[in-house]
Amino acid sequence: MSPPAVIKDIARRQLAELGAGGLSLDAVARDSGLTVTDVVSAFPHRDDLLTALVIDAYNASGAAMEQADAAAAAAGASAGVRLLAVTRALRQWSFDNTAEFTLIYGSPVPGYHAPQDTVLPASRTPGVLGGIVRAALEKGELTPPRRPVPGPPLLLPAAVELYGGAPEAPFSDILERGMVLWSSLIGLLVFQVFSRTHDSVRDESAFFDYAIAVAAEGIGLVVPAGGNTD
């Protein structure tokens, strides 16, 4: 394993034990068996190491979703089944990598500001969701909304470009609805990963599927009842 890979591996362990605020290059050097000089030559500042971890986390979680979507699409699944598959994949990744999930979706790290380098990796998750919504629209699998969002578009041009442009009526507000779906997914995961629902929900996996189905209704997409992906 190369020094940068070793450093990031040790840093991920420290994230789990100390949180991002407790991460330091000196501690990484001590626990990795490398010198501080070795660590600094790979990551000159703590923020450089944090950025590398953030990028890795976004890429890993995005890849999990992309792989799940590719498998579902190859099997001829409907857009609703694809949506359930990719959100389940992100949920599994989140529970398997709680420290990394916390790093990218938890509380901000004091004094750290994510640079532009993190934007593209971060776009992979909404990119997967957007691809599924676009496919559903093209195949006629979406039900037009009963109450379109009034007024001019609410999203920035960059967000519209990520999707590939805004569709025409009656789906002209589908991008705003997709943003609601995305934020609902992340919020739901935050609740489940940080045990906000364990004392009020009997079956958290089933509740997750139900919540995704309810959120999908907001974009006019039907997710299989009972979490069926067959």
Side-chain angles (χ1 to χ4, degrees):
M1 191 181 296
S2 66
V6 171
I7 292 167
K8 290 194 290 184
D9 187 53
I10 295 299
R12 290 187 189 95
R13 297 180 199 176
Q14 292 190 359
L15 283 180
E17 296 171 1
L18 305 173
L23 186 67
S24 74
L25 299 185
D26 288 341
V28 169
R30 181 194 65 230
D31 292 351
S32 66
L34 299 171
T35 67
V36 174
T37 301
D38 291 334
V39 174
V40 170
S41 70
F43 302 100
H45 304 284
R46 182 211 65 162
D47 286 4
D48 297 317
L49 179 53
L50 274 176
T51 295
L53 297 176
V54 166
I55 290 173
D56 284 355
Y58 277 131
N59 279 330
S61 58
M65 296 179 70
E66 290 162 0
Q67 291 164 10
D69 189 37
S78 67
V81 171
R82 289 171 60 186
L83 179 66
L84 187 57
V86 302
T87 55
R88 282 176 171 177
L90 183 59
R91 181 179 188 269
Q92 187 61 55
W93 179 88
S94 301
F95 278 102
D96 291 343
N97 303 274
T98 304
E100 288 90 335
F101 175 85
T102 302
L103 177 64
I104 57 178
Y105 293 122
S107 299
V109 180
Y112 174 74
H113 301 283
Q116 189 69 21
D117 293 351
T118 62
V119 173
L120 186 59
S123 70
R124 291 177 71 168
T125 290
V128 173
L129 299 178
I132 293 172
V133 173
R134 183 166 55 248
L137 182 59
E138 292 171 352
K139 294 180 180 180
E141 296 182 26
L142 292 184
T143 300
R146 288 179 293 178
R147 189 187 68 173
V149 175
L154 299 175
L155 300 188
L156 296 173
V160 177
E161 183 180 351
L162 176 65
Y163 178 80
E168 298 180 354
F171 298 103
S172 55
D173 64 350
I174 197 66
L175 302 189
E176 286 84 354
R177 292 175 180 275
M179 185 70 77
V180 172
L181 173 64
W182 177 32
S183 58
S184 297
L185 168 62
I186 301 304
L188 176 61
L189 287 173
V190 167
F191 262 58
Q192 293 209 329
V193 171
F194 299 147
S195 297
R196 301 294 190 230
T197 55
H198 75 281
D199 57 352
S200 55
V201 173
R202 293 183 179 181
D203 185 331
E204 292 196 81
S205 294
F207 180 77
F208 178 86
D209 290 350
Y210 167 78
I212 293 301
V214 170
E217 290 179 355
I219 60 172
L221 186 61
V222 176
V223 169
N228 181 17
T229 58
D230 296 332

